[in-house]
Amino acid sequence: DHPVILVGDPSAGAHPYAVAAYQDYGTVVHQIDEYYQPALVEDIAPVLNAKPWRPNVREMVLDSAYPADVIRWQQAGYPAFGLEGKPEVEARLPVYRALLRDPVLYRRLADEHLAAWCEAHGYAPEAFDALPMDVQGEAYFEIAEQFAPHRLTAYDIERLRVCSHIFFDRTHCPNAIREHKTYRWHTTRTGVRAERPRKQDDHLMDCGGYFAWTNKR
């Protein structure tokens, strides 16, 4: 019976029409369901109407580039509105990243690893900032390696879960999980990663960004 927020990334037909269903519990958000395939609003609405959470839909946020779809969803009985002043992806990504991994909570875990690294190498943690930059770089590289999936300890996994404010239903949100894993970034000519992601296979990622921008910013 908890309120549901729908976020849609419309499509003109060439790409999947994505709709994500979220429940916001304050410090934790659950994506509980998704719609992900090419279709018209008239075809999608009956599918969503059959969902058990349909009576609890409080609002529906849509990409403002499709004003006709906003009207169609409103005519279908949904509290839909277009995202005002649609933010560029670079603007909304930091807000969404903070949902995926709270920077303050993560810093505490990273500091634990840094203290352990200092102890193992004979340095005082409080004097780390005074160490040569190449030594600091070595430390950060080794700590980053410790967070690789195959090296995570059970303790780290539980701590990382505490750092996250958004979770996904494994059964009902397979495409959202897949898009998070396959999100790709542009690279410069020198091979350095740019801060602008590639516009491909990112429809539910856009939904997450729109949700964060309207509800968590």
Side-chain angles (χ1 to χ4, degrees):
D1 295 327
H2 198 76
V4 171
I5 299 170
L6 298 181
V7 183
D9 185 37
S11 166
H15 303 288
Y17 199 122
V19 179
Y22 300 95
Q23 288 183 318
D24 187 353
Y25 292 89
T27 57
V28 175
V29 175
H30 293 170
Q31 183 179 331
I32 59 171
D33 211 343
E34 66 180 34
Y35 181 95
Y36 191 86
Q37 64 184 39
L40 300 175
V41 172
E42 291 76 6
D43 301 318
I44 304 171
V47 176
L48 301 190
N49 288 341
K51 298 289 186 178
W53 42 259
R54 171 62 182 96
N56 301 319
V57 173
R58 186 184 72 196
E59 65 182 36
M60 185 177 196
V61 184
L62 293 165
D63 186 336
S64 56
Y66 294 84
D69 270 26
V70 175
I71 296 174
R72 292 189 186 99
W73 280 110
Q74 291 172 347
Q75 292 174 340
Y78 284 77
F81 63 92
L83 186 64
E84 293 186 12
K86 179 182 174 181
E88 292 293 330
V89 64
E90 296 95 332
R92 61 181 188 259
L93 269 175
V95 187
Y96 189 58
R97 281 176 175 154
L99 280 182
L100 289 170
R101 191 178 72 187
D102 187 307
V104 176
L105 296 177
Y106 176 71
R107 177 63 185 267
R108 296 174 186 172
L109 177 59
D111 283 347
E112 288 183 19
H113 280 263
L114 180 59
W117 183 92
C118 289
E119 182 178 352
H121 291 78
Y123 299 115
E126 60 272 15
F128 178 79
D129 290 340
L131 294 176
M133 293 303 297
D134 59 332
V135 176
Q136 293 188 34
E138 177 187 351
Y140 287 128
F141 181 79
E142 291 186 13
I143 291 170
E145 281 192 321
Q146 293 171 12
F147 287 107
H150 65 283
R151 296 189 63 181
L152 283 173
T153 65
Y155 172 79
D156 286 337
I157 290 173
E158 288 304 314
R159 289 293 303 276
L160 286 170
R161 283 179 176 154
V162 172
C163 293
S164 182
H165 297 298
I166 186 167
F167 296 86
F168 303 86
D169 186 289
R170 190 184 302 274
T171 301
H172 295 98
C173 305
N175 292 292
I177 294 172
R178 175 183 55 77
E179 283 194 0
H180 279 76
K181 294 179 178 180
T182 59
Y183 210 49
R184 292 294 179 264
W185 304 83
H186 286 289
T187 55
T188 65
R189 292 181 179 179
T190 58
V192 178
R193 194 191 86 170
E195 276 302 297
R196 187 169 186 83
R198 298 180 183 275
K199 283 303 297 175
Q200 59 187 45
D201 208 21
D202 61 351
H203 312 291
L204 287 162
M205 291 294 292
D206 280 347
C207 290
Y210 298 152
F211 169 83
W213 187 259
T214 55
N215 288 273
K216 294 301 181 182
R217 181 167 53 101

